[in-house]
């Protein structure tokens, strides 16, 4: 928590001289009796904060440039430029049509992301029935995407993006690392089909343990790191933002926060760069509350598993996968937390880890290196070392 201030009469008098009629009192501030008397005498209201401040107006860079050029020469006319549109995928393939895969397909169809959505699952009839069910909604929603489904892996052929969710889910008491051996076989089978039938696809790995399975996908496909991404940071960051919003009593839209590191016990939420209504966390929350939010983000997936008993989260991971697809097709811009193979960024090499990165039509564009506190950087290094040990690197 920020160091409390002692607000005396001189501070109130200074506010009066500045023409203020409201004095913000932050949590933990100590207001002297004389200050309260002075405030009442000069007509200044002492208001409990933090107060919500209006966001400063922002002018688009292109608009500012046009104004500068016009002032230099009023005859100058801005060239017409059509607004940027998100790319519509030709084909989106989903290996695994269970809870996460089915939800990704539904969200993608509703957002009109692709001409064709292919669902693949080894469970007889599951993918085909889900595809048919989604096609039946088009008479209501007007969705243009046509869905197909089946057990054959060759349905990935020609896909622009392949999302791999297949694999065994956690049960209560299991860690993500407990799934390494069984799910590695699933990843290798998927990789063989992708390598031969969709060699230009961007692969998004959702199967747990996510960072380790992303390494396995890279090995098995032989693809460059740009083409193989792990979905974790988007989901973990959403859980962190939700925890902070609940603790501060605000909406998640008021919170900016993200997590790095592994998708597991070595997850590294980054409180130093988190903001609530544009202000540091300690304006709203105590150190203990912030630590509780960090732990809530780390254990969020396990909380769902404990309640569900026979499965793991499906809805939030699907939304997180859609966020990555949106970045790939240009519907969203800016850095997004994603698991990628690091080549020296953050002083880490040869390990897949969640970091902020820019994505585009070819997958990874570049990793964005942020300034972290010593404690946060140590957590990132610890996560990398833990993954190395689990993979025997």
């Amino acid at each position: 928590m920020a160091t409390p201030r002692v607000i005396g009469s001189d501070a109130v008098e200074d506010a009066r001289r500045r023409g203020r009629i409201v004095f913000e009192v932050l949590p933990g501030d100590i207001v002297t009796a004389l200050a309260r008397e002075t405030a009442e005498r000069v007509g200044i209201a002492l208001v409990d904060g933090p107060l919500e401040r209006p966001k400063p107006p922002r002018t688009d860079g292109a608009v500012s440039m046009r104004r500068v050029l016009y002032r230099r020469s009023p005859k100058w006319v801005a060239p017409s430029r059509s607004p940027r549109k998100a790319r519509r995928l030709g084909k989106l393939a989903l290996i695994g049509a269970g809870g996460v895969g089915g939800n990704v397909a539904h969200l993608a169809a509703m957002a009109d992301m692709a001409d064709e959505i292919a669902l693949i699952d080894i469970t007889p009839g599951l993918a085909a029935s889900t595809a048919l069910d989604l096609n039946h909604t088009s008479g209501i929603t007007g969705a243009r995407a046509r869905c197909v489904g089946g057990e054959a892996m060759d349905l990935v052929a020609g896909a622009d993006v392949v999302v791999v969710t297949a694999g065994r889910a956690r049960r209560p008491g299991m860690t993500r690392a407990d799934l390494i051996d069984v799910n590695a076989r699933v990843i290798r089978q998927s990789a063989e089909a992708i390598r031969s039938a969709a060699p230009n696809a961007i692969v998004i790995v959702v199967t747990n343990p996510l960072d380790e399975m992303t390494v396995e996908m890279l090995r098995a496909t032989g693809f460059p790191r740009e083409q193989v991404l792990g979905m974790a940071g988007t989901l973990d960051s959403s859980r962190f933002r939700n925890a902070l919003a609940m603790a501060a009593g605000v909406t998640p839209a008021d919170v900016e926060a993200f997590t790095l590191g592994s998708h597991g016990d070595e997850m590294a939420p980054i409180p130093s760069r988190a903001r609530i209504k544009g202000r540091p966390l300690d304006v709203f929350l105590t150190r203990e509350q912030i630590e509780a939010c960090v732990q809530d983000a780390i254990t969020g997936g396990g909380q769902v598993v404990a309640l569900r008993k026979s499965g793991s989260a499906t809805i939030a991971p699907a939304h997180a996968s859609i966020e990555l697809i949106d970045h790939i097709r240009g519907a969203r811009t800016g850095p997004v937390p994603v698991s990628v193979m690091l080549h020296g960024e953050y002083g880490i090499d040869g390990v897949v880890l969640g970091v902020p990165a820019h994505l585009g039509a070819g997958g990874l564009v570049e990793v964005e290196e942020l300034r972290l506190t010593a404690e946060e950087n140590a957590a990132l290094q610890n996560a990398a070392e833990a993954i190395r040990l689990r993979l025997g690197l």
Side-chain angles (χ1 to χ4, degrees), residues 133-164:
D133 204 10
L134 286 169
N135 285 334
H136 287 168
T137 70
S138 63
I140 300 169
T141 65
R144 294 184 294 167
R146 300 311 299 167
C147 300
V148 297
E151 292 87 58
M153 292 296 291
D154 58 10
L155 281 173
V156 301
D160 300 298
V161 174
V162 180
V163 181
V164 182

Side-chain angles (χ1 to χ4, degrees), residues 91-95 116-120 155-156 159 161-164:
K91 183 174 182 178
L92 169 64
L94 303 160
I95 300 179
E116 181 182 348
I117 299 174
L119 296 102
I120 305 158
L155 281 173
V156 301
V161 174
V162 180
V163 181
V164 182

Side-chain angles (χ1 to χ4, degrees), residues 165-213:
T165 69
R168 182 178 295 177
R170 282 194 292 166
R171 296 188 299 274
M174 292 180 69
T175 67
R176 294 180 177 90
D178 293 333
L179 301 171
I180 288 180
D181 292 337
V182 63
N183 284 347
R185 291 193 292 272
V186 176
I187 291 296
R188 285 192 289 269
Q189 292 169 357
S190 302
E192 184 178 346
I194 295 168
R195 185 179 65 246
S196 59
N200 297 316
I202 308 303
V203 184
I204 299 175
V205 179
V206 182
T207 304
N208 274 319
L210 189 135
D211 303 290
E212 290 84 345
M213 293 304 100

Side-chain angles (χ1 to χ4, degrees), residues 238-253 255 276 285 289 293 296 303:
S238 179
R239 288 170 173 161
F240 189 30
R241 287 191 288 269
N242 176 68
L244 291 170
M246 292 184 67
V250 300
T251 66
V255 181
I276 297 176
L285 303 173
Q289 287 176 309
C293 291
D296 193 65
Q303 293 172 36

